[in-house]
Amino acid sequence: MRVITKIARQKNNPERYNIYLNEQYAFPVDEAILIQFGLTKGKVLEEFDIQEIAYEDEIRKAFNKGLNYLSYQMRSEHEVKKKLSSLEFGEAVILEAIQKLKSYGFLNDESYSKALLNTKKATMKKGPRAIRQDLMKKGIDKSLQDEVLETFSHEEQVKLATQLAEKVIRSEKKKTPSQIKAKIQDFLMRKGYSFTIVDEVLGQIEIEQAEDEWQALLDAQGEKVWKKYAAKYTGYELKMKTKQALYQKGFPVEIIDRFIEEKENEE
């Protein structure tokens, strides 16, 4: 027969207690487990009781570790499982702890997914494809991914993508409209927006260049192109190579012709 002869609160953790059986230290328990099993001095414990107490205490420890992990920021169920696994809790214990965290409302993948969606939209203006990747990394079920992303309306996507496009325009003053649009397309695709959204945004924005702005662009890009091909070609070939390169960069034909004429007059 094993009898509880002493219960002592731990000095370093007042929420845990050391249990003594027959005057000898036996095992520690959380305060919640102490109450759950009605552990008091004089209580008789069978071996089965001790095993059950130890198991429930392990669940409580996992629960507390999970709760502490969640205290810093919202986490997905997958993240908490991974964290508890790294702390070497058994699979059954982890599942019990996760269920307890969910039942108390500390862990909710739906709430987490909605919060992640709103955060990624507000702070990074990410598109649905990029956000889906973020949700996948957090272990969110595909059906829940679909449900949450359905709330990201077409209109809101266009609005955020347009804001990103305007940011690109402001930062690319030394590019032609064609180059800027190519930059916008690449940037929006990397941000996770679909071809449909990107095409719609590109169709709405207008990038106009004044005469002096075209001249500034030619000063920055035209000279480099001319020097590049002048090292290999002359005459007609030089003109055509230069014209083709500048046209691909988005310069209007009349601007290109005037530039080439000026270069020829310099020679």
Side-chain angles (χ1 to χ4, degrees), residues 66-129:
L67 190 59
N68 181 64
Y69 187 52
L70 288 164
S71 68
Y72 298 101
Q73 65 181 64
M74 291 183 73
R75 312 275 187 180
S76 68
E77 185 175 325
H78 172 76
E79 288 180 289
V80 177
K81 284 181 179 178
K82 188 175 180 180
K83 177 64 175 180
L84 294 180
S85 180
S86 72
L87 296 174
E88 299 186 349
F89 286 104
E91 184 176 350
V93 169
I94 291 174
L95 292 177
E96 292 278 5
I98 290 292
Q99 188 57 43
K100 192 179 291 289
L101 288 167
K102 290 167 68 175
S103 68
Y104 283 112
F106 294 122
L107 193 58
N108 186 308
D109 272 1
E110 182 177 354
S111 297
Y112 173 82
S113 299
K114 290 178 179 178
L116 185 144
L117 170 68
N118 291 330
T119 298
K120 297 299 181 181
K121 288 192 298 183
T123 61
M124 303 178 72
K125 294 182 172 59
K126 281 190 173 184
R129 291 181 178 178

Short mmCIF file of all heavy atoms in Angstrom, two decimals, residues 66-129:
data_model
loop_
_atom_site.label_atom_id
_atom_site.label_comp_id
_atom_site.label_asym_id
_atom_site.label_seq_id
_atom_site.Cartn_x
_atom_site.Cartn_y
_atom_site.Cartn_z
N GLY A 66 2.39 24.73 -24.43
CA GLY A 66 1.67 25.23 -25.60
C GLY A 66 1.08 26.60 -25.34
O GLY A 66 1.14 27.50 -26.18
N LEU A 67 0.53 26.78 -24.15
CA LEU A 67 -0.07 28.06 -23.78
C LEU A 67 0.99 29.16 -23.74
O LEU A 67 0.76 30.28 -24.20
CB LEU A 67 -0.74 27.93 -22.41
CG LEU A 67 -1.63 29.09 -21.96
CD1 LEU A 67 -2.76 29.32 -22.95
CD2 LEU A 67 -2.18 28.81 -20.57
N ASN A 68 2.15 28.83 -23.22
CA ASN A 68 3.25 29.79 -23.18
C ASN A 68 3.71 30.16 -24.59
O ASN A 68 3.98 31.33 -24.89
CB ASN A 68 4.42 29.21 -22.39
CG ASN A 68 5.59 30.17 -22.30
OD1 ASN A 68 5.49 31.24 -21.71
ND2 ASN A 68 6.71 29.80 -22.90
N TYR A 69 3.76 29.16 -25.47
CA TYR A 69 4.16 29.38 -26.86
C TYR A 69 3.16 30.30 -27.57
O TYR A 69 3.53 31.14 -28.38
CB TYR A 69 4.23 28.03 -27.56
CG TYR A 69 4.78 28.04 -28.97
CD1 TYR A 69 5.99 28.65 -29.26
CD2 TYR A 69 4.09 27.41 -30.00
CE1 TYR A 69 6.50 28.65 -30.56
CE2 TYR A 69 4.59 27.39 -31.29
CZ TYR A 69 5.80 28.01 -31.56
OH TYR A 69 6.30 28.00 -32.84
N LEU A 70 1.89 30.14 -27.22
CA LEU A 70 0.84 30.95 -27.82
C LEU A 70 0.78 32.36 -27.24
O LEU A 70 0.16 33.25 -27.82
CB LEU A 70 -0.53 30.28 -27.62
CG LEU A 70 -0.78 29.02 -28.46
CD1 LEU A 70 -1.97 28.25 -27.90
CD2 LEU A 70 -1.03 29.39 -29.91
N SER A 71 1.41 32.56 -26.10
CA SER A 71 1.32 33.87 -25.43
C SER A 71 2.09 34.95 -26.19
O SER A 71 1.81 36.14 -26.03
CB SER A 71 1.86 33.76 -24.00
OG SER A 71 3.27 33.52 -24.00
N TYR A 72 3.05 34.55 -27.02
CA TYR A 72 3.85 35.52 -27.75
C TYR A 72 3.13 36.03 -29.00
O TYR A 72 3.23 37.19 -29.37
CB TYR A 72 5.20 34.92 -28.14
CG TYR A 72 6.04 34.53 -26.94
CD1 TYR A 72 6.13 33.20 -26.53
CD2 TYR A 72 6.74 35.49 -26.21
CE1 TYR A 72 6.89 32.84 -25.43
CE2 TYR A 72 7.50 35.14 -25.11
CZ TYR A 72 7.57 33.80 -24.72
OH TYR A 72 8.32 33.46 -23.63
N GLN A 73 2.41 35.13 -29.66
CA GLN A 73 1.66 35.49 -30.86
C GLN A 73 0.73 34.34 -31.23
O GLN A 73 0.86 33.24 -30.71
CB GLN A 73 2.60 35.79 -32.04
CG GLN A 73 3.40 34.57 -32.50
CD GLN A 73 4.34 34.90 -33.64
OE1 GLN A 73 5.26 35.68 -33.47
NE2 GLN A 73 4.11 34.31 -34.80
N MET A 74 -0.21 34.61 -32.13
CA MET A 74 -1.11 33.55 -32.57
C MET A 74 -0.32 32.48 -33.33
O MET A 74 0.63 32.80 -34.05
CB MET A 74 -2.21 34.12 -33.48
CG MET A 74 -3.22 35.00 -32.77
SD MET A 74 -4.54 35.56 -33.89
CE MET A 74 -5.47 34.04 -34.09
N ARG A 75 -0.73 31.24 -33.16
CA ARG A 75 -0.06 30.13 -33.84
C ARG A 75 -1.12 29.20 -34.43
O ARG A 75 -2.26 29.15 -33.97
CB ARG A 75 0.79 29.31 -32.87
CG ARG A 75 1.69 30.11 -31.96
CD ARG A 75 3.01 30.45 -32.59
NE ARG A 75 3.90 31.08 -31.62
CZ ARG A 75 5.14 31.48 -31.90
NH1 ARG A 75 5.63 31.30 -33.11
NH2 ARG A 75 5.88 32.06 -30.98
N SER A 76 -0.70 28.44 -35.43
CA SER A 76 -1.59 27.42 -35.98
C SER A 76 -1.43 26.14 -35.16
O SER A 76 -0.46 25.96 -34.42
CB SER A 76 -1.23 27.14 -37.44
OG SER A 76 0.04 26.51 -37.53
N GLU A 77 -2.39 25.25 -35.33
CA GLU A 77 -2.33 23.96 -34.64
C GLU A 77 -1.06 23.21 -35.02
O GLU A 77 -0.41 22.58 -34.18
CB GLU A 77 -3.57 23.14 -35.00
CG GLU A 77 -3.70 21.83 -34.27
CD GLU A 77 -4.99 21.11 -34.58
OE1 GLU A 77 -6.02 21.79 -34.78
OE2 GLU A 77 -4.98 19.86 -34.64
N HIS A 78 -0.71 23.28 -36.30
CA HIS A 78 0.49 22.61 -36.79
C HIS A 78 1.74 23.13 -36.09
O HIS A 78 2.62 22.35 -35.71
CB HIS A 78 0.60 22.83 -38.30
CG HIS A 78 1.89 22.35 -38.90
ND1 HIS A 78 2.16 21.02 -39.13
CD2 HIS A 78 3.00 23.03 -39.31
CE1 HIS A 78 3.37 20.90 -39.65
NE2 HIS A 78 3.90 22.10 -39.78
N GLU A 79 1.82 24.44 -35.90
CA GLU A 79 2.99 25.04 -35.26
C GLU A 79 3.11 24.59 -33.80
O GLU A 79 4.21 24.30 -33.33
CB GLU A 79 2.89 26.56 -35.31
CG GLU A 79 3.12 27.17 -36.67
CD GLU A 79 3.00 28.68 -36.65
OE1 GLU A 79 1.88 29.19 -36.48
OE2 GLU A 79 4.04 29.36 -36.77
N VAL A 80 1.97 24.54 -33.11
CA VAL A 80 2.01 24.14 -31.70
C VAL A 80 2.40 22.67 -31.58
O VAL A 80 3.19 22.29 -30.71
CB VAL A 80 0.64 24.39 -31.03
CG1 VAL A 80 0.66 23.89 -29.58
CG2 VAL A 80 0.31 25.89 -31.05
N LYS A 81 1.86 21.84 -32.46
CA LYS A 81 2.23 20.42 -32.46
C LYS A 81 3.73 20.25 -32.69
O LYS A 81 4.39 19.45 -32.01
CB LYS A 81 1.46 19.67 -33.57
CG LYS A 81 0.01 19.39 -33.25
CD LYS A 81 -0.63 18.63 -34.40
CE LYS A 81 -2.09 18.30 -34.09
NZ LYS A 81 -2.75 17.61 -35.23
N LYS A 82 4.24 21.00 -33.64
CA LYS A 82 5.67 20.92 -33.96
C LYS A 82 6.51 21.35 -32.77
O LYS A 82 7.54 20.74 -32.46
CB LYS A 82 5.96 21.81 -35.17
CG LYS A 82 7.36 21.68 -35.72
CD LYS A 82 7.52 22.51 -37.00
CE LYS A 82 8.93 22.39 -37.55
NZ LYS A 82 9.10 23.21 -38.79
N LYS A 83 6.06 22.41 -32.08
CA LYS A 83 6.79 22.90 -30.92
C LYS A 83 6.79 21.87 -29.80
O LYS A 83 7.85 21.59 -29.20
CB LYS A 83 6.14 24.20 -30.43
CG LYS A 83 6.78 24.79 -29.17
CD LYS A 83 8.21 25.22 -29.42
CE LYS A 83 8.78 25.92 -28.19
NZ LYS A 83 10.19 26.34 -28.41
N LEU A 84 5.64 21.30 -29.51
CA LEU A 84 5.54 20.30 -28.43
C LEU A 84 6.34 19.05 -28.77
O LEU A 84 6.94 18.42 -27.89
CB LEU A 84 4.08 19.96 -28.16
CG LEU A 84 3.22 21.10 -27.60
CD1 LEU A 84 1.79 20.63 -27.39
CD2 LEU A 84 3.80 21.64 -26.30
N SER A 85 6.34 18.69 -30.04
CA SER A 85 7.12 17.53 -30.47
C SER A 85 8.61 17.78 -30.25
O SER A 85 9.35 16.87 -29.86
CB SER A 85 6.84 17.24 -31.95
OG SER A 85 7.58 16.12 -32.39
N SER A 86 9.05 19.01 -30.51
CA SER A 86 10.46 19.35 -30.31
C SER A 86 10.85 19.29 -28.83
O SER A 86 12.03 19.14 -28.50
CB SER A 86 10.76 20.75 -30.86
OG SER A 86 10.19 21.76 -30.04
N LEU A 87 9.85 19.41 -27.96
CA LEU A 87 10.09 19.32 -26.52
C LEU A 87 9.98 17.88 -26.03
O LEU A 87 10.01 17.62 -24.82
CB LEU A 87 9.10 20.21 -25.77
CG LEU A 87 9.22 21.72 -26.06
CD1 LEU A 87 8.10 22.49 -25.38
CD2 LEU A 87 10.58 22.24 -25.60
N GLU A 88 9.82 16.96 -26.99
CA GLU A 88 9.84 15.51 -26.74
C GLU A 88 8.64 15.00 -25.95
O GLU A 88 8.74 14.02 -25.20
CB GLU A 88 11.15 15.11 -26.05
CG GLU A 88 12.38 15.41 -26.91
CD GLU A 88 13.67 14.89 -26.30
OE1 GLU A 88 13.65 14.48 -25.13
OE2 GLU A 88 14.70 14.90 -27.01
N PHE A 89 7.50 15.63 -26.14
CA PHE A 89 6.26 15.07 -25.59
C PHE A 89 5.79 13.97 -26.54
O PHE A 89 6.00 14.05 -27.75
CB PHE A 89 5.18 16.15 -25.48
CG PHE A 89 5.41 17.12 -24.36
CD1 PHE A 89 5.87 18.40 -24.61
CD2 PHE A 89 5.15 16.75 -23.04
CE1 PHE A 89 6.09 19.30 -23.58
CE2 PHE A 89 5.36 17.64 -22.00
CZ PHE A 89 5.84 18.93 -22.26
N GLY A 90 5.14 12.95 -26.00
CA GLY A 90 4.63 11.86 -26.81
C GLY A 90 3.45 12.31 -27.66
O GLY A 90 2.77 13.29 -27.35
N GLU A 91 3.19 11.56 -28.74
CA GLU A 91 2.13 11.94 -29.67
C GLU A 91 0.77 11.99 -29.00
O GLU A 91 -0.01 12.92 -29.22
CB GLU A 91 2.10 10.94 -30.84
CG GLU A 91 1.09 11.32 -31.92
CD GLU A 91 1.13 10.38 -33.11
OE1 GLU A 91 2.06 9.55 -33.18
OE2 GLU A 91 0.23 10.47 -33.96
N ALA A 92 0.46 10.99 -28.18
CA ALA A 92 -0.84 10.96 -27.50
C ALA A 92 -1.00 12.15 -26.56
O ALA A 92 -2.07 12.76 -26.49
CB ALA A 92 -1.00 9.65 -26.73
N VAL A 93 0.07 12.48 -25.86
CA VAL A 93 0.04 13.62 -24.94
C VAL A 93 -0.17 14.92 -25.71
O VAL A 93 -0.96 15.78 -25.31
CB VAL A 93 1.36 13.69 -24.13
CG1 VAL A 93 1.47 15.01 -23.38
CG2 VAL A 93 1.43 12.52 -23.14
N ILE A 94 0.52 15.05 -26.84
CA ILE A 94 0.39 16.26 -27.66
C ILE A 94 -1.04 16.43 -28.16
O ILE A 94 -1.61 17.52 -28.09
CB ILE A 94 1.37 16.20 -28.86
CG1 ILE A 94 2.81 16.32 -28.37
CG2 ILE A 94 1.05 17.31 -29.86
CD1 ILE A 94 3.85 16.14 -29.45
N LEU A 95 -1.64 15.34 -28.63
CA LEU A 95 -3.01 15.41 -29.13
C LEU A 95 -3.99 15.82 -28.03
O LEU A 95 -4.91 16.61 -28.25
CB LEU A 95 -3.42 14.06 -29.72
CG LEU A 95 -2.71 13.65 -31.01
CD1 LEU A 95 -3.14 12.26 -31.45
CD2 LEU A 95 -2.98 14.66 -32.12
N GLU A 96 -3.78 15.29 -26.83
CA GLU A 96 -4.64 15.65 -25.69
C GLU A 96 -4.46 17.13 -25.33
O GLU A 96 -5.43 17.84 -25.06
CB GLU A 96 -4.29 14.78 -24.48
CG GLU A 96 -4.65 13.31 -24.63
CD GLU A 96 -6.12 13.04 -24.32
OE1 GLU A 96 -6.87 14.00 -24.09
OE2 GLU A 96 -6.49 11.86 -24.32
N ALA A 97 -3.21 17.58 -25.33
CA ALA A 97 -2.92 18.98 -24.98
C ALA A 97 -3.51 19.92 -26.03
O ALA A 97 -4.08 20.97 -25.69
CB ALA A 97 -1.41 19.19 -24.87
N ILE A 98 -3.38 19.54 -27.30
CA ILE A 98 -3.93 20.36 -28.39
C ILE A 98 -5.44 20.47 -28.25
O ILE A 98 -6.03 21.56 -28.39
CB ILE A 98 -3.58 19.74 -29.76
CG1 ILE A 98 -2.08 19.88 -30.06
CG2 ILE A 98 -4.41 20.39 -30.87
CD1 ILE A 98 -1.61 21.28 -30.28
N GLN A 99 -6.09 19.36 -27.96
CA GLN A 99 -7.54 19.35 -27.80
C GLN A 99 -7.97 20.25 -26.65
O GLN A 99 -8.96 20.98 -26.73
CB GLN A 99 -8.04 17.92 -27.57
CG GLN A 99 -9.55 17.78 -27.59
CD GLN A 99 -10.17 18.28 -28.89
OE1 GLN A 99 -9.66 18.01 -29.97
NE2 GLN A 99 -11.25 19.04 -28.78
N LYS A 100 -7.19 20.22 -25.58
CA LYS A 100 -7.51 21.06 -24.41
C LYS A 100 -7.33 22.54 -24.75
O LYS A 100 -8.15 23.39 -24.37
CB LYS A 100 -6.60 20.66 -23.24
CG LYS A 100 -7.01 21.25 -21.89
CD LYS A 100 -6.08 20.79 -20.79
CE LYS A 100 -6.23 19.32 -20.50
NZ LYS A 100 -7.53 19.04 -19.81
N LEU A 101 -6.27 22.86 -25.49
CA LEU A 101 -6.03 24.25 -25.90
C LEU A 101 -7.16 24.74 -26.81
O LEU A 101 -7.60 25.89 -26.70
CB LEU A 101 -4.69 24.36 -26.64
CG LEU A 101 -3.43 24.24 -25.78
CD1 LEU A 101 -2.20 24.04 -26.66
CD2 LEU A 101 -3.25 25.48 -24.91
N LYS A 102 -7.64 23.86 -27.67
CA LYS A 102 -8.74 24.22 -28.57
C LYS A 102 -10.04 24.40 -27.80
O LYS A 102 -10.81 25.33 -28.07
CB LYS A 102 -8.91 23.14 -29.65
CG LYS A 102 -7.77 23.12 -30.66
CD LYS A 102 -7.78 21.88 -31.53
CE LYS A 102 -8.95 21.82 -32.46
NZ LYS A 102 -8.86 20.66 -33.38
N SER A 103 -10.28 23.53 -26.83
CA SER A 103 -11.53 23.60 -26.07
C SER A 103 -11.62 24.88 -25.24
O SER A 103 -12.71 25.39 -24.99
CB SER A 103 -11.66 22.38 -25.15
OG SER A 103 -10.68 22.41 -24.12
N TYR A 104 -10.47 25.41 -24.82
CA TYR A 104 -10.45 26.65 -24.05
C TYR A 104 -10.39 27.89 -24.94
O TYR A 104 -10.38 29.02 -24.45
CB TYR A 104 -9.26 26.66 -23.09
CG TYR A 104 -9.45 25.82 -21.85
CD1 TYR A 104 -8.71 24.67 -21.65
CD2 TYR A 104 -10.39 26.18 -20.88
CE1 TYR A 104 -8.88 23.88 -20.52
CE2 TYR A 104 -10.56 25.40 -19.74
CZ TYR A 104 -9.81 24.25 -19.57
OH TYR A 104 -9.98 23.48 -18.45
N GLY A 105 -10.33 27.66 -26.25
CA GLY A 105 -10.31 28.78 -27.19
C GLY A 105 -8.95 29.41 -27.41
O GLY A 105 -8.85 30.48 -28.03
N PHE A 106 -7.90 28.76 -26.93
CA PHE A 106 -6.56 29.31 -27.11
C PHE A 106 -6.00 29.00 -28.50
O PHE A 106 -5.07 29.65 -28.96
CB PHE A 106 -5.60 28.76 -26.05
CG PHE A 106 -5.92 29.19 -24.65
CD1 PHE A 106 -6.18 28.25 -23.66
CD2 PHE A 106 -5.98 30.54 -24.32
CE1 PHE A 106 -6.48 28.64 -22.37
CE2 PHE A 106 -6.28 30.94 -23.03
CZ PHE A 106 -6.54 29.99 -22.05
N LEU A 107 -6.55 27.98 -29.13
CA LEU A 107 -6.04 27.52 -30.42
C LEU A 107 -7.20 27.35 -31.38
O LEU A 107 -8.13 26.58 -31.12
CB LEU A 107 -5.31 26.18 -30.22
CG LEU A 107 -4.42 25.66 -31.35
CD1 LEU A 107 -3.34 26.66 -31.71
CD2 LEU A 107 -3.79 24.33 -30.94
N ASN A 108 -7.15 28.10 -32.49
CA ASN A 108 -8.25 28.06 -33.46
C ASN A 108 -7.69 28.38 -34.84
O ASN A 108 -7.35 29.53 -35.12
CB ASN A 108 -9.33 29.07 -33.07
CG ASN A 108 -10.56 28.98 -33.95
OD1 ASN A 108 -10.47 29.02 -35.17
ND2 ASN A 108 -11.72 28.86 -33.32
N ASP A 109 -7.59 27.38 -35.69
CA ASP A 109 -6.99 27.58 -37.01
C ASP A 109 -7.79 28.54 -37.88
O ASP A 109 -7.22 29.26 -38.71
CB ASP A 109 -6.83 26.24 -37.73
CG ASP A 109 -5.51 25.56 -37.40
OD1 ASP A 109 -4.74 26.13 -36.60
OD2 ASP A 109 -5.24 24.46 -37.94
N GLU A 110 -9.10 28.57 -37.71
CA GLU A 110 -9.91 29.48 -38.51
C GLU A 110 -9.61 30.93 -38.15
O GLU A 110 -9.38 31.78 -39.03
CB GLU A 110 -11.40 29.20 -38.32
CG GLU A 110 -12.29 30.09 -39.18
CD GLU A 110 -13.76 29.76 -39.05
OE1 GLU A 110 -14.09 28.77 -38.36
OE2 GLU A 110 -14.59 30.50 -39.62
N SER A 111 -9.59 31.22 -36.85
CA SER A 111 -9.27 32.58 -36.40
C SER A 111 -7.85 32.96 -36.80
O SER A 111 -7.59 34.09 -37.21
CB SER A 111 -9.43 32.68 -34.88
OG SER A 111 -10.77 32.44 -34.50
N TYR A 112 -6.95 31.99 -36.65
CA TYR A 112 -5.55 32.24 -37.01
C TYR A 112 -5.42 32.57 -38.50
O TYR A 112 -4.72 33.52 -38.87
CB TYR A 112 -4.70 31.01 -36.68
CG TYR A 112 -3.27 31.12 -37.17
CD1 TYR A 112 -2.32 31.81 -36.44
CD2 TYR A 112 -2.89 30.55 -38.39
CE1 TYR A 112 -1.02 31.93 -36.90
CE2 TYR A 112 -1.60 30.67 -38.85
CZ TYR A 112 -0.67 31.36 -38.10
OH TYR A 112 0.62 31.49 -38.57
N SER A 113 -6.10 31.80 -39.34
CA SER A 113 -6.01 32.00 -40.79
C SER A 113 -6.56 33.35 -41.20
O SER A 113 -5.99 34.03 -42.06
CB SER A 113 -6.76 30.88 -41.51
OG SER A 113 -6.19 29.62 -41.21
N LYS A 114 -7.67 33.75 -40.59
CA LYS A 114 -8.26 35.05 -40.91
C LYS A 114 -7.33 36.18 -40.48
O LYS A 114 -7.17 37.18 -41.19
CB LYS A 114 -9.61 35.19 -40.22
CG LYS A 114 -10.70 34.30 -40.80
CD LYS A 114 -12.00 34.45 -40.05
CE LYS A 114 -13.10 33.57 -40.65
NZ LYS A 114 -14.37 33.68 -39.89
N ALA A 115 -6.71 36.01 -39.32
CA ALA A 115 -5.78 37.03 -38.82
C ALA A 115 -4.55 37.12 -39.72
O ALA A 115 -4.06 38.22 -40.02
CB ALA A 115 -5.36 36.69 -37.39
N LEU A 116 -4.05 35.96 -40.16
CA LEU A 116 -2.88 35.96 -41.05
C LEU A 116 -3.22 36.65 -42.37
O LEU A 116 -2.43 37.43 -42.90
CB LEU A 116 -2.41 34.52 -41.29
CG LEU A 116 -1.12 34.37 -42.11
CD1 LEU A 116 -0.30 33.18 -41.59
CD2 LEU A 116 -1.41 34.16 -43.59
N LEU A 117 -4.40 36.34 -42.91
CA LEU A 117 -4.84 36.97 -44.16
C LEU A 117 -4.87 38.48 -44.02
O LEU A 117 -4.31 39.21 -44.86
CB LEU A 117 -6.23 36.45 -44.53
CG LEU A 117 -6.95 37.18 -45.68
CD1 LEU A 117 -6.24 36.92 -47.00
CD2 LEU A 117 -8.41 36.73 -45.77
N ASN A 118 -5.49 38.97 -42.96
CA ASN A 118 -5.61 40.42 -42.76
C ASN A 118 -4.25 41.08 -42.55
O ASN A 118 -4.00 42.18 -43.03
CB ASN A 118 -6.52 40.70 -41.57
CG ASN A 118 -7.97 40.34 -41.86
OD1 ASN A 118 -8.42 40.40 -43.00
ND2 ASN A 118 -8.70 39.93 -40.83
N THR A 119 -3.37 40.38 -41.84
CA THR A 119 -2.03 40.93 -41.59
C THR A 119 -1.22 41.03 -42.87
O THR A 119 -0.58 42.05 -43.13
CB THR A 119 -1.28 40.04 -40.58
OG1 THR A 119 -1.98 40.03 -39.34
CG2 THR A 119 0.14 40.57 -40.34
N LYS A 120 -1.25 39.97 -43.68
CA LYS A 120 -0.49 39.96 -44.93
C LYS A 120 -1.02 40.99 -45.92
O LYS A 120 -0.26 41.59 -46.68
CB LYS A 120 -0.51 38.56 -45.56
CG LYS A 120 0.14 37.47 -44.72
CD LYS A 120 1.61 37.75 -44.47
CE LYS A 120 2.25 36.64 -43.66
NZ LYS A 120 3.69 36.89 -43.39
N LYS A 121 -2.33 41.21 -45.90
CA LYS A 121 -2.91 42.23 -46.78
C LYS A 121 -2.51 43.63 -46.31
O LYS A 121 -2.13 44.48 -47.12
CB LYS A 121 -4.44 42.12 -46.79
CG LYS A 121 -4.97 40.92 -47.54
CD LYS A 121 -6.47 41.03 -47.77
CE LYS A 121 -7.25 41.07 -46.46
NZ LYS A 121 -8.71 41.10 -46.69
N ALA A 122 -2.60 43.86 -45.01
CA ALA A 122 -2.37 45.20 -44.47
C ALA A 122 -0.90 45.60 -44.47
O ALA A 122 -0.57 46.75 -44.77
CB ALA A 122 -2.93 45.28 -43.05
N THR A 123 -0.03 44.67 -44.13
CA THR A 123 1.39 45.03 -43.97
C THR A 123 2.23 44.82 -45.22
O THR A 123 3.19 45.55 -45.45
CB THR A 123 2.02 44.21 -42.83
OG1 THR A 123 1.95 42.81 -43.15
CG2 THR A 123 1.29 44.46 -41.52
N MET A 124 1.86 43.84 -46.04
CA MET A 124 2.69 43.52 -47.20
C MET A 124 1.93 43.57 -48.53
O MET A 124 2.52 43.42 -49.58
CB MET A 124 3.31 42.13 -47.02
CG MET A 124 4.13 41.98 -45.75
SD MET A 124 4.81 40.32 -45.53
CE MET A 124 6.07 40.31 -46.80
N LYS A 125 0.61 43.78 -48.44
CA LYS A 125 -0.23 43.83 -49.65
C LYS A 125 -0.04 42.58 -50.52
O LYS A 125 0.00 42.65 -51.74
CB LYS A 125 0.05 45.09 -50.46
CG LYS A 125 -0.36 46.38 -49.74
CD LYS A 125 -0.10 47.60 -50.61
CE LYS A 125 -0.68 48.86 -49.97
NZ LYS A 125 -0.12 49.16 -48.64
N LYS A 126 0.06 41.43 -49.87
CA LYS A 126 0.25 40.18 -50.60
C LYS A 126 -1.04 39.77 -51.30
O LYS A 126 -2.14 40.05 -50.83
CB LYS A 126 0.69 39.06 -49.66
CG LYS A 126 2.16 39.08 -49.30
CD LYS A 126 2.55 37.80 -48.58
CE LYS A 126 4.04 37.71 -48.34
NZ LYS A 126 4.42 36.41 -47.72
N GLY A 127 -0.87 39.05 -52.42
CA GLY A 127 -2.00 38.52 -53.16
C GLY A 127 -2.38 37.14 -52.65
O GLY A 127 -1.67 36.53 -51.84
N PRO A 128 -3.51 36.60 -53.14
CA PRO A 128 -4.02 35.30 -52.68
C PRO A 128 -3.03 34.14 -52.81
O PRO A 128 -2.95 33.30 -51.92
CB PRO A 128 -5.25 35.08 -53.57
CG PRO A 128 -5.69 36.45 -53.94
CD PRO A 128 -4.42 37.23 -54.11
N ARG A 129 -2.30 34.09 -53.91
CA ARG A 129 -1.38 32.97 -54.11
C ARG A 129 -0.26 32.97 -53.07
O ARG A 129 0.12 31.91 -52.56
CB ARG A 129 -0.79 33.02 -55.52
CG ARG A 129 -1.81 32.73 -56.62
CD ARG A 129 -1.18 32.77 -58.00
NE ARG A 129 -2.15 32.44 -59.03
CZ ARG A 129 -1.90 32.43 -60.32
NH1 ARG A 129 -0.68 32.71 -60.76
NH2 ARG A 129 -2.84 32.12 -61.20
#
